[in-house]
Amino acid sequence: MLQSLLAQRFGLTVHRETRELPMYAPEVSKAGPKLKVSATDGTGPDSADATFFSPKLTKGSDGFPEIAGGQNLPRSYEMVLGGSDGIMYKLWARRETVEQLADRLSAQLSRPVVDKTGLKDVYDFALTWTVDNGGAGIPRTGPPPDMIEMHSSPILSDPGLSIFAALPAQLGLKLEAKRGPLEIGRASCRERV
């Protein structure tokens, strides 16, 4: 309905086509997935106040913030830690599919990530990975204060935490660089007088 309204008022036309483009495809590694099927479906009593719930943070074994154990998290949480040499992402996922994880990673990798695992359940998992910022500034997610905690110390103490190494080690998934069919759309608009 919205598309036809935009076409009538502004002459918007959309052309969709499928092209072979570079992408990443998560697949199950040889060792198998290390994902825990979620015990709840997100409709229990704890989900009503999920917007207002703040998990208790503690100092983890790596010296960085960690969500304290024993908490029943009603939704997923992500923390971004900026340091002098890079960025660390920590994700505590609740009731998420591998397809939702692929969507999250698409933004991080600047390339489409298309789920090829065949895993259809919803999972609870934790994932930590780092990105070398190449000496650039730390990207902000909003005006300060935001969800990024700044550290003057290095973040990349473990080079094995790139997303390509973290996925197999922590979740039993691997990212494969591929080319595959992706639907893209091009829109053009002409003003009506």
Side-chain angles (χ1 to χ4, degrees):
M1 200 163 72
L2 179 60
Q3 190 173 0
S4 64
L5 177 66
L6 291 171
Q8 289 173 351
R9 297 245 174 111
F10 303 104
L12 178 74
T13 58
V14 178
H15 173 72
R16 294 191 178 277
E17 62 184 72
T18 301
R19 288 190 183 172
E20 287 281 322
L21 295 172
M23 69 170 78
Y24 289 112
E27 297 177 354
V28 176
S29 66
K30 289 180 183 178
K34 299 176 185 178
L35 297 164
K36 177 184 164 197
V37 175
S38 182
T40 62
D41 62 3
T43 59
D46 60 334
S47 64
D49 297 324
T51 307
F52 306 107
F53 179 82
S54 287
K56 181 181 178 192
L57 296 176
T58 62
K59 187 175 185 177
S61 61
D62 57 3
F64 297 110
E66 188 75 40
I67 291 182
Q71 298 181 69
N72 186 9
L73 300 178
R75 63 178 181 85
S76 296
Y77 292 89
E78 185 173 7
M79 183 181 297
V80 182
L81 304 162
S84 61
D85 64 344
I87 305 165
M88 178 184 288
Y89 293 90
K90 291 189 167 212
L91 170 64
W92 296 273
R94 294 299 177 265
R95 293 175 289 282
E96 284 202 18
T97 64
V98 176
E99 186 175 350
Q100 287 172 304
L101 175 61
D103 288 344
R104 283 181 186 270
L105 295 178
S106 290
Q108 299 293 322
L109 298 171
S110 300
R111 183 183 284 192
V113 178
V114 179
D115 176 25
K116 299 287 186 186
T117 63
L119 301 172
K120 300 297 180 199
D121 288 319
V122 291
Y123 303 97
D124 295 343
F125 58 88
L127 179 63
T128 300
W129 72 99
T130 58
V131 176
D132 178 3
N133 70 355
I138 305 299
R140 308 295 311 176
T141 59
D146 59 14
M147 300 278 304
I148 296 179
E149 182 174 325
M150 297 298 292
H151 290 268
S152 58
S153 60
I155 293 285
L156 304 179
S157 59
D158 182 359
L161 281 179
S162 76
I163 192 63
F164 298 98
L167 274 174
Q170 298 172 35
L171 301 184
L173 304 176
K174 59 183 178 176
L175 274 181
E176 294 289 331
K178 297 186 174 204
R179 289 185 68 82
L182 289 173
E183 186 177 280
I184 60 170
R186 289 183 292 167
S188 61
C189 186
R190 60 173 167 39
E191 281 190 42
R192 295 188 66 162
V193 183

